[in-house]
């Protein structure tokens, strides 16, 4: 059909401003010239950390997730603060949630979580050379630390205890690059 795959925004209205996200309603012109509306969730971005102990254990945190109404196990992660560099955020979140500091941290990749309706990007890091630091979760954050082998992590995926994309993506990366 030869459409240029771009939607031009005609107007934008903020319909929700929250502590973590904003939601905007866009009036757009579609590639075929017709008009439509798009609900867009704006998020400041986040980091996630694939933290691996010296004995090859994956560091996870279990926590209750209200949108799912259940407890799941995830890699440590958190929201970027305004002006914060992703690497600094990764080191901060790792220590706050797990009590570990890392001698070595490197970015693995970044990815969009739900590009159909949100602009959230997650920067995924690998952390090794873990040393004891100071665990200090936010006052509304309750987590339980877990350390599991990668085969145990695969079983947690099968049992839907690990049930989020960032953690599954991190485990897949680890398996593909360490076999």
């Amino acid at each position: 059909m030869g459409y240029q795959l771009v939607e031009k925004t005609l107007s934008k209205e903020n319909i929700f401003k929250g502590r973590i996200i904003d939601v905007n309603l866009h009036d757009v012109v579609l590639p075929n010239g017709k008009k439509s509306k798009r609900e867009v969730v704006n998020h400041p971005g986040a980091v996630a950390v694939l933290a691996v102990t010296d004995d090859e254990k994956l560091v996870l945190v279990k926590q209750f997730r209200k949108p799912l109404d259940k407890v799941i196990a995830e890699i440590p992660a958190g929201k970027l603060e305004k002006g914060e560099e992703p690497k600094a955020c990764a080191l901060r979140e790792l220590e706050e949630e797990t009590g570990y500091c890392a001698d070595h941290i490197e970015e693995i990749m970044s990815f969009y979580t739900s590009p159909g309706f949100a602009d959230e990007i997650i920067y995924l890091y690998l952390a090794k050379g873990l040393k004891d630091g100071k665990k200090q979760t936010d006052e509304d954050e309750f987590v339980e630390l877990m350390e599991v082998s990668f085969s145990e992590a695969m079983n947690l995926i099968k049992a839907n205890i690990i049930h989020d994309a960032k953690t599954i993506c991190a485990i897949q990366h680890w398996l593909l690059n360490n076999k």
Side-chain angles (χ1 to χ4, degrees), residues 6 20 30 39 42 49 63 71 78 95 112 120 142 153 169 172:
V6 177
I20 298 174
L30 302 172
E39 296 166 354
N42 297 120
V49 183
Q63 59 187 320
V71 174
E95 186 172 10
Y112 292 103
E120 180 187 26
F142 301 90
C169 183
Q172 181 181 28

Side-chain angles (χ1 to χ4, degrees), residues 60-83:
L60 299 172
V61 290
K62 283 176 74 173
Q63 59 187 320
F64 180 79
R65 291 301 198 180
K66 187 60 190 167
L68 309 177
D69 230 10
K70 70 177 188 174
V71 174
I72 63 173
E74 306 171 53
I75 58 176
K79 178 178 73 72
L80 283 163
E81 299 300 331
K82 187 175 179 110

Side-chain angles (χ1 to χ4, degrees), residues 6 26 42 46 55 77 103 113 115 126 128 137 157 161 168:
V6 177
H26 294 242
N42 297 120
D55 60 347
D103 285 341
T113 59
L126 171 65
K128 296 187 105 181
T137 56
I157 292 170
I161 294 168
I168 293 169

